[in-house]
Amino acid sequence: MGDGGATQRESLEALLQEARLFRPAPEFSKNANAGDAEIYARAAKDLEGFWADEAKRLDWIEPWKKVLEWDAPWAEWFVGGKLNVAANCVDRHAASARRNKAAIIWEGEPGDTRVLTFGMLQREVNRFANGLKSLGVKKGERVAIYMGMIPELAITMLACAKIGAPHSVVFGGFSAESLRERINDAQAKVLITADGAWRRGNVVPLKANADAALEGTPSIEKVVVVDRVGKQANATMKAGRDVTWDELVKDASDKCAAEPMDAEDMLYILYTSGTTGKPKGVVHTTAGYLVGVSTTHHYIFDVKENDVYWCTADIGWVTGHSYIVYGPLANGCTSLMYEGSPDYPDRGRFWSVVSKYGVNIFYTAPTAIRTFMRWGREWPARYDLSSLRLLGTVGEPINPEAWIWYHENIGRQRCPIVDTWWQTETGMVLMSPLPGLVPTKPGSATRPFPGVEADVVDEKGRTVPPGAGGYLVLTKPWPAMFRTIYGDPERYVRQYWSRYEGKYFTGDGAKRDEDSYFWLLGRVDDVMNVAGHRISTYEVESALVDHDSVAEAAVIGKTDAIKGQAIASFVTLKEGTLPSDALKRELREHVAARIGSIARPDEIFFTSELPKTRSAKIMRRLLRDIAEGRLLGDTTTLADSAVVGKLKQQYEEEG
Ligand code: ATP
Ligand code: MG
């Protein structure tokens, strides 16, 4: 046993030694939206001035009187300003030279397509906004949305914004029970859904799920149903309550005045992914949010007027809200939406979409990249990906090996990668390289966005030295920050703002290296304590993924009488690789060689699948329950609850 801090630094060095540095290509830098390195100093010197300048990218009905009112933890941004989000995302572009430019390019899973220009989108949004009004929806009343990835989803959100009714989008993969809980928490008045959704050629019975949910939702008065799938969905309509989308908009006018909204009026509620526990209803407001997402979208994704931008997230998550709908459309950008799964009809689907539409900017998640790695490089190799100019990732720390694979096989060594760290609560990306400006290191989200200030602190809130791990906190307010937890302001204060006075507690572990680059180490709850050494699950996972046979790994600390915690790892192998005891030994030594013997996993357990949330994040807390022989904790946000049950059984049989 030794000094915990020293070992932590040793393990850090092991990881950083291999960190290659990728400098921006001069031809990219020359035209980059974030061309001027001065941006960081400017924002640091005058935070409010910086955001006031950026806020000019929006159209305001009335100008703000004060940029920021900060009485920690309560923030108001652009105080006194009035604007409308839909007017900014749609109307002003429809009234400009962009009228006939594609706003949304949609590709359905079965191969059907739809393109909505800004002019067409405006008509659809207005018609549906009028439809909502005819159902009695008023400013401030909540609208629940439960749909697959179809254009009507974006249209509904924008129609809500147009009339000032906050929406609460519930991911279409959620069960009836999860939908019911969220509807009741938000006290939604109407529900917008579809008969069904396509997923891998099968029908997800959205309407049937919604009907089950609605048995216990007294606040819901009306339900609107989009006809997406048709007969196969077996959807039934309840007289007096349900109306089809087409009926509702049939005679609706395509003109609708935008409701002037106060800067701080609520735009939406969105429940977090539930990786760490019960989801929280995160509240986002109007002006600060739109300024935040449009500004970050502009600089981080470097979008140019004629680019096609594709974020593969589901709109049911914050990434889809901020970077499929609001950020891109506020900037007048063409945003691509794909309905289905990446392996339908085959594993080349994403790359076929990229080449079909000439996608220039592509934003996805590490879990997807690791899946592509597992499928093999031959899939992307078959397609022309030469239109790609910039790649992004979000959702989990990206293992350096996955970063390099992405860089080589998708970016073909040409495209900068932006590793964007943020949360549902933060509303906008808070940490990411600015492409063209900031050199990247695989696995590091590099540095905070201009104007954002982050620190890595210890238990007592003291800044830790470079190389040491600690808790990531944010020390200044930012415009798109959430304003509260819906119906539970006390939780807002307790969970996020009470640990360190005046600082936002992210719940994530991080470290800063000698160049002040940030490395996200996963959730604080996931950091292990092995014989007095604090070891990050992310580092051990990255060392495992670094091995040629490994596709994905989840590492946890398992209670151990001697060491405090032992390192248990759950590993999925690349296709064509067979599990064996020899491979287990090899992997243990591989980790020891990469990080140090202290990090050598005590247990390796091969599995064909890992338990993940519906937003595809590894759920380590359930693996801890399995490894420690406990009953499983909350499983309602799991993508596939069968995976964890099977895993528990196998683990108990083998162990
Ligand atoms: P819950 O808060 O309900 O447990 P969640 O935290 O998974 O769920 P999200 O808000 O969707 O819900 O995810 C934010 C979290 O995702 C971050 O706190 C961080 O742990 C992780 N994350 C997102 N992007 C990155 C990234 N680029 N690098 C590292 N971690 C990331
Ligand atoms: Mg979280």
Side-chain angles (χ1 to χ4, degrees):
M1 262 194 256
D3 163 39
T7 307
Q8 207 172 333
R9 274 192 291 281
E10 266 165 41
S11 85
L12 168 76
E13 276 155 21
L15 201 104
L16 295 187
Q17 268 161 22
E18 67 104 87
R20 291 141 277 198
L21 189 73
F22 291 79
R23 295 190 187 283
E27 44 306 355
F28 192 101
S29 302
K30 207 167 56 204
N31 298 314
N33 290 357
D36 182 5
E38 233 274 300
I39 188 170
Y40 286 103
R42 191 155 49 85
K45 211 172 101 199
D46 179 11
L47 178 80
E48 293 180 30
F50 173 77
W51 286 113
D53 280 347
E54 295 298 338
K56 289 178 194 143
R57 65 177 68 249
L58 301 184
D59 275 3
W60 295 78
I61 298 167
E62 269 177 44
W64 63 88
K65 298 191 174 66
K66 194 162 184 238
V67 177
L68 172 65
E69 192 77 70
W70 177 229
D71 179 11
W74 309 106
E76 286 180 42
W77 281 87
F78 306 105
V79 183
K82 287 204 188 309
L83 72 169
N84 181 282
V85 167
N88 273 284
C89 291
V90 184
D91 298 346
R92 63 174 174 151
H93 306 306
S96 77
R98 290 185 179 132
R99 182 168 187 82
N100 297 324
K101 170 179 173 175
I104 294 176
I105 295 178
W106 176 76
E107 165 116 347
E109 191 187 78
D112 45 343
T113 63
R114 189 172 169 194
V115 176
L116 289 159
T117 63
F118 281 100
M120 293 156 81
L121 182 61
Q122 181 183 44
R123 284 197 297 277
E124 296 298 322
V125 167
N126 286 348
R127 274 151 48 103
F128 195 66
N130 287 321
L132 286 173
K133 283 188 192 170
S134 72
L135 295 177
V137 178
K138 296 195 183 59
K139 181 172 176 172
E141 291 181 327
R142 276 83 53 217
V143 173
I145 306 176
Y146 179 63
M147 263 190 226
M149 286 285 286
I150 52 176
E152 285 82 357
L153 172 50
I155 293 167
T156 304
M157 292 162 75
L158 293 161
C160 287
K162 189 119 201 203
I163 65 171
H167 54 71
S168 168
V169 179
V170 179
F171 172 55
F174 271 127
S175 64
E177 197 185 318
S178 303
L179 173 62
R180 184 190 304 137
E181 249 179 56
R182 286 163 180 74
I183 287 175
N184 287 338
D185 191 80
Q187 287 294 293
K189 181 172 182 174
V190 302
L191 171 67
I192 319 303
T193 187
D195 55 353
W198 290 114
R199 189 76 190 168
R200 290 202 178 89
N202 299 317
V203 175
V204 181
L206 292 176
K207 180 57 166 56
N209 292 348
D211 286 337
L214 294 175
E215 278 167 24
T217 55
S219 63
I220 295 285
E221 294 173 11
K222 295 280 177 196
V223 179
V224 182
V225 186
V226 178
D227 176 11
R228 165 61 184 139
V229 169
K231 277 205 180 59
Q232 284 185 71
N234 282 321
T236 54
M237 300 289 280
K238 183 169 166 181
R241 186 193 68 183
D242 301 352
V243 55
T244 66
W245 176 288
D246 292 342
E247 266 170 65
L248 185 71
V249 301
K250 194 168 51 157
D251 300 317
S253 155
D254 61 9
K255 306 262 179 314
C256 176
E259 187 69 35
M261 301 298 284
D262 187 85
E264 284 299 330
D265 278 337
M266 178 163 47
L267 176 64
Y268 67 78
I269 304 170
L270 181 63
Y271 293 84
T272 53
S273 305
T275 311
T276 50
K278 189 179 179 304
K280 308 156 274 264
V282 165
V283 171
H284 282 293
T285 59
T286 300
Y289 175 78
L290 200 63
V291 170
V293 298
S294 59
T295 304
T296 46
H297 185 261
H298 173 77
Y299 290 113
I300 295 171
F301 296 104
D302 193 57
V303 180
K304 303 292 194 277
E305 190 62 45
N306 294 317
D307 278 344
V308 176
Y309 160 90
W310 183 19
C311 165
T312 71
D314 192 287
I315 292 177
W317 311 119
V318 74
T319 303
H321 280 58
S322 298
Y323 298 108
I324 295 177
V325 180
Y326 292 119
L329 295 181
N331 290 339
C333 157
T334 300
S335 186
L336 192 145
M337 251 175 106
Y338 167 57
E339 179 182 33
S341 164
D343 56 356
Y344 191 85
D346 64 37
R347 293 170 168 182
R349 185 61 181 272
F350 271 20
W351 320 123
S352 100
V353 169
V354 168
S355 69
K356 176 173 175 186
Y357 296 102
V359 171
N360 306 104
I361 297 155
F362 179 76
Y363 188 27
T364 196
T367 178
I369 298 166
R370 292 189 303 255
T371 305
F372 302 141
M373 286 172 75
R374 184 170 172 184
W375 292 345
R377 61 183 72 219
E378 47 297 358
W379 284 103
R382 282 181 205 148
Y383 295 87
D384 176 8
L385 304 182
S386 59
S387 58
L388 289 174
R389 203 163 62 69
L390 177 81
L391 305 176
T393 141
V394 62
E396 289 178 288
I398 181 164
N399 317 100
E401 228 23 59
W403 196 104
I404 295 289
W405 190 94
Y406 197 29
H407 175 66
E408 289 177 352
N409 294 285
I410 310 304
R412 311 265 158 99
Q413 304 190 341
R414 279 182 294 106
C415 305
I417 295 180
V418 292
D419 175 0
T420 64
W421 174 87
W422 58 298
Q423 309 177 306
T424 311
E425 295 89 336
T426 71
M428 64 189 229
V429 175
L430 291 190
M431 224 180 261
S432 165
L434 291 183
L437 205 55
V438 177
T440 53
K441 299 181 187 182
S444 168
T446 73
R447 57 185 295 185
F449 191 77
V452 174
E453 286 191 23
D455 197 4
V456 181
V457 301
D458 64 14
E459 283 295 344
K460 298 217 164 70
R462 294 172 300 211
T463 301
V464 300
Y471 303 102
L472 180 68
V473 296
L474 302 164
T475 57
K476 291 253 172 78
W478 63 98
M481 63 194 280
F482 69 142
R483 301 298 197 261
T484 190
I485 295 295
Y486 192 70
D488 199 353
E490 198 259 329
R491 186 172 181 193
Y492 171 78
V493 178
R494 176 168 36 89
Q495 181 163 347
Y496 300 96
W497 297 95
S498 297
R499 191 137 167 176
Y500 306 111
E501 182 80 39
K503 291 178 185 157
Y504 173 83
F505 176 64
T506 63
D508 284 342
K511 67 194 169 194
R512 228 174 334 199
D513 68 17
E514 301 288 346
D515 300 325
S516 294
Y517 273 42
F518 286 81
W519 298 75
L520 274 300
L521 300 177
R523 288 143 206 295
V524 168
D525 312 343
D526 292 338
V527 174
M528 300 175 289
N529 195 334
V530 181
H533 305 287
R534 288 172 59 77
I535 296 175
S536 137
T537 50
Y538 162 72
E539 286 174 301
V540 181
E541 287 164 7
S542 290
L544 284 164
V545 172
D546 176 65
H547 190 280
D548 274 348
S549 332
V550 175
E552 198 156 37
V555 166
I556 55 146
K558 172 182 177 176
T559 305
D560 181 276
I562 297 161
K563 296 205 263 188
Q565 279 187 322
I567 302 178
S569 45
F570 295 77
V571 170
T572 63
L573 297 174
K574 285 201 185 132
E575 292 195 344
T577 306
L578 292 175
S580 69
D581 283 342
L583 182 57
K584 273 190 194 175
R585 281 194 297 277
E586 195 179 315
L587 291 179
R588 296 180 69 226
E589 291 321 310
H590 184 76
V591 175
R594 289 291 272 109
I595 306 181
S597 53
I598 186 71
R600 181 188 287 114
D602 297 275
E603 277 181 27
I604 299 222
F605 188 83
F606 294 118
T607 170
S608 56
E609 270 179 282
L610 294 170
K612 292 191 180 163
T613 61
R614 284 166 214 257
S615 58
K617 298 181 202 226
I618 298 172
M619 246 207 231
R620 293 179 193 75
R621 66 181 167 83
L622 293 179
L623 294 173
R624 278 197 298 270
D625 293 342
I626 291 176
E628 296 180 350
R630 270 192 305 273
L631 284 177
L632 295 173
D634 188 303
T635 55
T636 55
T637 55
L638 274 178
D640 179 356
S641 50
V643 170
V644 70
K646 212 171 79 193
L647 192 60
K648 187 170 164 59
Q649 196 187 343
Q650 276 174 358
Y651 188 87
E652 280 161 9
E653 280 165 14
E654 283 187 35

